[in-house]
Amino acid sequence: MSCYRLEVARAALGTTRVIELPALAALSPAAGEAILTVDKFALTANNITYGVAGDMIGYWQFFPAEGDWGQIPVWGKGTVVLENDSGLNIGDEFYGYFPMASYLVVEPVQATERGFTDGAAHRQALPGVYNNYALMTAGNGFDRQFDDHQMIYRPLFTTSFVIDDYFDDNDHFGASNIILSSASSKTSFGLAFLLRKNRDVKVTGLTSAANKAFVESLNLYDQVVAYDALDTLDASENVAFVDMAGNRQVLEALHHHFGDKMVCSCGVGITHWESRDGQPPSILPGAKPKMFFAPDQIQKRNQEWGPQKFQAELSAAWQAFLVVVDGWVSINHRVGRGELEETFQEVLAGAKPDQAFVVSLE
Ligand SMILES: NC(=O)c1ccc[n+]([C@@H]2O[C@H](COP(=O)([O-])OP(=O)(O)OC[C@H]3O[C@@H](n4cnc5c(N)ncnc54)[C@H](OP(=O)(O)O)[C@@H]3O)[C@@H](O)[C@H]2O)c1
């Protein structure tokens, strides 16, 4: 099996190259290191956002590349194939943050029966959540029939869960209607699922004309409105905006439409990355737009509830989501470098919302 990785030009994500890597047989880990094959991983708009926000948030630093090239991180599964006094066992499988590459060299620290942290020096300044690898055992909460769901949805649904809790915790900021952009995205419909399930608040989905029928078919939103029909929204009620699209035109149009009735405006994603123009944000009527930072709310709940209750609540919501999500989105498996490159371009350009992708490189 040949080993390789996919790199992207950091300033032009559509430009990619494949770099050949030394064969595994030629590798011998240094003391304290382990090598995991990257068996499979999910690709969604979230990964594209890692590239779009790579310089802002430091995503390029996880898996460095040379010069103007970068490696986009993905959520996936890896297996330990080589190790040298690392605390890991050959054959152990881990869920975590990987490059789109045949393998990853890690320097495990704090290895327990639950997982380990990559202690590699270049990752130390980065948020801990991305450096942790979870052992995929039943005892550690992994139901292996849902490996694909874990890598596609879990990072997204966890964010949906935390946003839902943030709104609950703040009495919806007084809004009676919560508006989500990129309503067709997995993070948005996960949030709509939770908002609808947990309480009595109206949920409005904004989407592109091409994705409107899909969003309507989910039956999760009280109303679905295309981006070019924002002026049809009822401006008499207090609204909150959860922005998954990061599209300045949409943001400005909504704030001007609702004025002071916009009581919360919370930036989460940048799916409409091509719409970004690098201009500084304008002063808008209504609540000041601010970025949502999930770790703050997680930390608050861990203090108030304790980590066990937080995990139990998340796990119950996740189980309920797993029951329904396959009715909305089909999972496609893609294999090999040609299909990896095709899938990357497809997701970059905006894949069909009823399709999700799991890629393996061999
Ligand atoms: N801050 C956080 O902690 C956090 C955590 C999780 C996710 N997020 C963000 O949430 C967003 C959604 O991620 P996801 O993985 O859930 O997305 P996804 O399911 O892959 O969403 C796909 C949708 O995004 C829009 N889109 C994608 N590519 C596009 C393109 N090139 N041009 C225009 N629209 C495009 C389309 O929605 P519409 O047609 O409906 O607009 C499309 O149906 C991402 O920006 C992600 O980074 C943030």
Side-chain angles (χ1 to χ4, degrees):
M1 186 187 93
S2 76
C3 292
Y4 61 94
R5 71 187 192 208
L6 185 73
E7 295 187 354
V8 301
R10 288 159 50 159
L13 299 180
T15 304
T16 64
R17 68 176 185 181
V18 170
I19 300 284
E20 300 292 334
L21 299 175
L24 279 167
L27 299 179
S28 53
E33 284 184 352
I35 301 180
L36 281 71
T37 49
V38 182
D39 306 326
K40 52 181 185 169
F41 55 82
L43 265 183
T44 73
N46 187 37
N47 304 99
I48 305 303
T49 301
Y50 291 145
V52 174
D55 287 322
M56 251 181 312
I57 302 182
Y59 292 114
W60 296 124
Q61 293 164 38
F62 285 97
F63 310 114
E66 281 181 4
D68 296 333
W69 295 90
Q71 294 197 76
I72 287 189
V74 289
W75 292 95
K77 168 179 112 61
T79 304
V80 180
V81 289
L82 291 165
E83 72 86 33
N84 182 353
D85 200 17
S86 66
L88 308 188
N89 303 308
I90 300 291
D92 280 351
E93 294 173 293
F94 290 95
Y95 167 74
Y97 214 47
F98 290 97
M100 293 189 273
S102 299
Y103 54 78
L104 172 68
V105 181
V106 293
E107 298 172 38
V109 291
Q110 298 157 15
T112 67
E113 71 281 359
R114 297 180 65 82
F116 71 91
T117 299
D118 186 1
H122 66 274
R123 294 178 71 156
Q124 292 323 295
L126 299 162
V129 62
Y130 298 111
N131 291 336
N132 296 334
Y133 291 81
L135 190 62
M136 297 176 79
T137 55
N140 206 16
F142 284 85
D143 182 346
R144 300 302 303 272
Q145 64 177 311
F146 291 115
D147 276 7
D148 290 346
H149 299 75
Q150 176 82 21
M151 52 193 81
I152 297 168
Y153 295 110
R154 188 68 189 225
L156 311 175
F157 187 76
T158 302
T159 302
S160 311
F161 175 84
V162 178
I163 300 172
D164 173 60
D165 178 56
Y166 174 67
F167 273 95
D168 188 27
D169 200 17
N170 289 283
D171 296 325
H172 311 123
F173 301 91
S176 50
N177 184 8
I178 300 182
I179 302 176
L180 316 186
S181 63
S182 273
S184 63
S185 69
K186 295 163 192 67
T187 311
S188 281
F189 72 64
L191 175 57
F193 169 78
L194 292 165
L195 288 167
R196 286 299 301 272
K197 207 166 153 47
N198 292 345
R199 64 191 140 276
D200 188 23
V201 63
K202 205 155 96 184
V203 188
T204 296
L206 307 182
T207 189
S208 48
N211 291 332
K212 192 162 178 266
F214 168 75
V215 179
E216 284 167 343
S217 75
L218 297 171
N219 275 325
L220 292 172
Y221 297 91
D222 295 282
Q223 60 176 338
V224 181
V225 175
Y227 295 120
D228 58 9
L230 298 183
D231 55 354
T232 63
L233 289 164
D234 175 3
S236 67
E237 57 187 348
N238 281 352
V239 297
F241 180 42
V242 182
D243 190 5
M244 231 58 82
N247 183 321
R248 170 204 287 273
Q249 281 184 341
V250 171
L251 179 76
E252 292 186 352
L254 281 179
H255 274 261
H256 286 294
H257 185 69
F258 288 102
D260 289 343
K261 300 264 177 207
M262 175 70 79
V263 291
C264 170
S265 180
C266 162
V268 178
I270 326 176
T271 57
H272 292 196
W273 60 277
E274 288 152 305
S275 73
R276 288 168 72 79
D277 55 13
Q279 297 299 311
S282 21
I283 307 284
L284 296 170
K288 191 170 187 267
K290 60 175 189 179
M291 284 309 289
F292 178 73
F293 190 58
D296 283 348
Q297 182 67 13
I298 295 174
Q299 195 179 16
K300 179 172 187 281
R301 285 312 200 191
N302 277 339
Q303 278 164 6
E304 290 170 359
W305 293 349
Q308 270 181 335
K309 176 168 154 77
F310 178 83
Q311 284 306 328
E313 298 270 337
L314 171 58
S315 178
W318 170 245
Q319 294 303 328
F321 182 72
L322 284 182
V323 171
V324 289
V325 70
D326 287 347
W328 301 328
V329 176
S330 311
I331 297 177
N332 297 273
H333 294 95
R334 302 278 174 89
V335 181
R337 70 175 71 181
E339 293 193 2
L340 166 64
E341 289 185 275
E342 273 168 33
T343 309
F344 178 76
Q345 295 296 344
E346 208 173 322
V347 174
L348 184 69
K352 283 181 162 180
D354 61 351
Q355 303 298 315
F357 305 101
V358 170
V359 184
S360 25
L361 298 195
E362 56 193 4

